[in-house]
Amino acid sequence: MAINQGLVLTCAKCSTKNFLDPYPFWNFSGNTKCAGCDAIYAVTFVKGQLTSGPTAGSGKADLLPGYAEDKTGAGIGGDKIRPAPQSRPDPFSGKQKHVKQSLRGKPLSGSPLKKEDLVGSRPKFIIDSRK
Ligand SMILES: [Zn+2]
């Protein structure tokens, strides 16, 4: 039996911790899939509270976990989890708007960057602006 942990679903079969992130799972009824062993779990959340499940289900997953860790704590990525939400496309061009400055005029990294624009994982122009 799985442990009732609300928005964290620990798989009964492989002990993978599947993080069911609050926004998409807040009011949700359907299947999710363990990122470790592909087991299907039926869950129901109402206002972020688990009201039914997790019970072993069958079929396909309606929504994948936002993040998962195996029993050693190593992150599981790839197509086992749902990609992070991206900025919404502009309704006219269908492409994301590129933002380089916040409303307060501070530099912001909101556009595609190349490797040479970065220092480690930080954009160079942001580091320069703080010197
Ligand atoms: Zn599993």
Side-chain angles (χ1 to χ4, degrees):
M1 207 199 104
I3 308 154
N4 183 355
Q5 295 175 92
L7 291 159
V8 179
L9 169 64
T10 303
C11 180
K13 291 175 189 157
C14 69
S15 303
T16 292
K17 278 186 188 159
N18 296 285
F19 294 86
L20 311 177
D21 35 336
Y23 274 105
F25 283 97
W26 196 250
N27 288 308
F28 174 79
S29 182
N31 287 338
T32 189
K33 190 165 83 167
C34 172
C37 66
D38 293 342
I40 296 283
Y41 287 98
V43 289
T44 302
F45 286 100
V46 176
K47 293 181 183 168
Q49 300 295 313
L50 188 67
T51 58
S52 158
T55 44
S58 58
K60 69 188 255 301
D62 300 308
L63 198 58
L64 297 176
Y67 178 69
E69 278 177 5
D70 69 12
K71 57 185 166 202
T72 65
I76 298 172
D79 58 0
K80 299 282 190 180
I81 57 169
R82 187 162 33 80
Q86 307 293 309
S87 62
R88 272 181 290 172
D90 180 81
F92 300 108
S93 69
K95 293 193 171 150
Q96 276 76 11
K97 252 188 219 170
H98 292 176
V99 185
K100 294 201 163 139
Q101 216 174 41
S102 75
L103 285 173
R104 296 184 181 94
K106 298 207 166 142
L108 183 73
S109 169
S111 56
L113 294 169
K114 295 192 194 83
K115 200 173 179 184
E116 53 266 29
D117 300 330
L118 297 170
V119 178
S121 62
R122 300 179 65 201
K124 228 178 250 170
F125 67 92
I126 289 186
I127 294 173
D128 291 344
S129 74
R130 292 190 179 168
K131 274 180 186 161

